[in-house]
């Protein structure tokens, strides 16, 4: 499933910035044929290669692996019904370009939500079998 998220994000970013696969391959230090195989879900990249691609695309590796335009149902289907979400229902992880003030506000929200999620996790541990 993460391969599909990775390749979807690579192709989306290439389109967004107007870069070709050849340019990306050169900038990331890999062959065009390997990059082509990767973007056609025919190759499994190493962590080092994924980092090189992220660096060449001027983005973070977590953004390439976690952020996706695919909806939850599609991700579930790609995972064969076995996907485990890293966040509970009602929460989302996003990447955005913000002004400094907006980023400050978002960091405040992030801290509040992390505290809520941690408190819920502690409650679940305290009462086995109960969902918080």
């Amino acid at each position: 499933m993460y391969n599909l998220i990775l390749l979807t994000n690579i192709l989306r970013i290439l389109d967004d910035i107007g870069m070709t696969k050849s340019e990306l391959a050169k900038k990331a230090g890999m062959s065009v044929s390997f990059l082509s195989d990767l973007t056609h879900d025919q190759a499994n990249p190493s962590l080092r290669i994924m980092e090189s691609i992220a660096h060449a695309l001027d983005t973070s590796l977590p953004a390439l692996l976690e952020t996706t335009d695919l909806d939850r149902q599609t991700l579930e289907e790609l995972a064969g019904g076995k996907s485990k979400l890293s966040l509970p229902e009602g929460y989302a992880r996003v990447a955005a370009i913000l002004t400094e003030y907006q980023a400050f506000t978002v960091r405040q929200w992030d801290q509040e939500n992390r505290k809520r999620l941690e408190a819920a996790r502690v409650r679940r541990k305290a009462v086995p079998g109960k969902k918080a």
Side-chain angles (χ1 to χ4, degrees):
M1 174 173 76
Y2 281 102
N3 272 5
L4 293 173
I5 293 172
L6 177 69
L7 73 90
T8 300
N9 286 329
I10 290 170
L11 293 172
R12 178 183 47 79
I13 293 170
L14 283 174
D15 187 54
D16 288 351
I17 64 176
M19 184 185 282
T20 66
K21 286 182 187 179
S22 296
E23 292 168 332
L24 175 59
K26 183 176 181 178
K27 197 171 178 183
M30 66 186 63
S31 71
V32 176
S33 63
F34 179 79
L35 182 60
S36 183
D37 286 349
L38 176 65
T39 57
H40 287 95
D41 199 25
Q42 302 297 314
N44 291 313
S46 68
L47 182 56
R48 184 170 293 165
I49 287 179
M50 290 187 287
E51 287 175 329
S52 295
I53 291 170
H55 181 72
L57 292 173
D58 196 27
T59 192
S60 69
L61 181 54
L64 283 180
L65 294 173
E66 287 190 355
T67 306
T68 181
D69 295 338
L70 302 173
D71 60 54
R72 189 172 277 193
Q73 180 181 354
T74 302
L75 288 172
E76 186 72 25
E77 289 170 8
L78 291 172
K82 298 176 186 169
S83 71
K84 183 177 180 193
L85 301 174
S86 63
L87 296 172
E89 188 73 35
Y91 287 86
R93 193 175 315 254
V94 297
I97 297 173
L98 307 169
T99 64
E100 287 186 27
Y101 176 75
Q102 291 169 326
F104 172 79
T105 303
V106 169
R107 284 188 202 101
Q108 300 292 65
W109 293 339
D110 180 59
Q111 288 175 353
E112 291 171 21
N113 287 331
R114 288 177 186 272
K115 287 176 186 174
R116 286 185 189 129
L117 291 172
E118 179 60 21
R121 187 186 66 76
V122 168
R123 282 194 305 273
R124 279 194 309 272
K125 277 187 160 183
V127 183
K130 182 179 179 183
K131 289 188 176 183

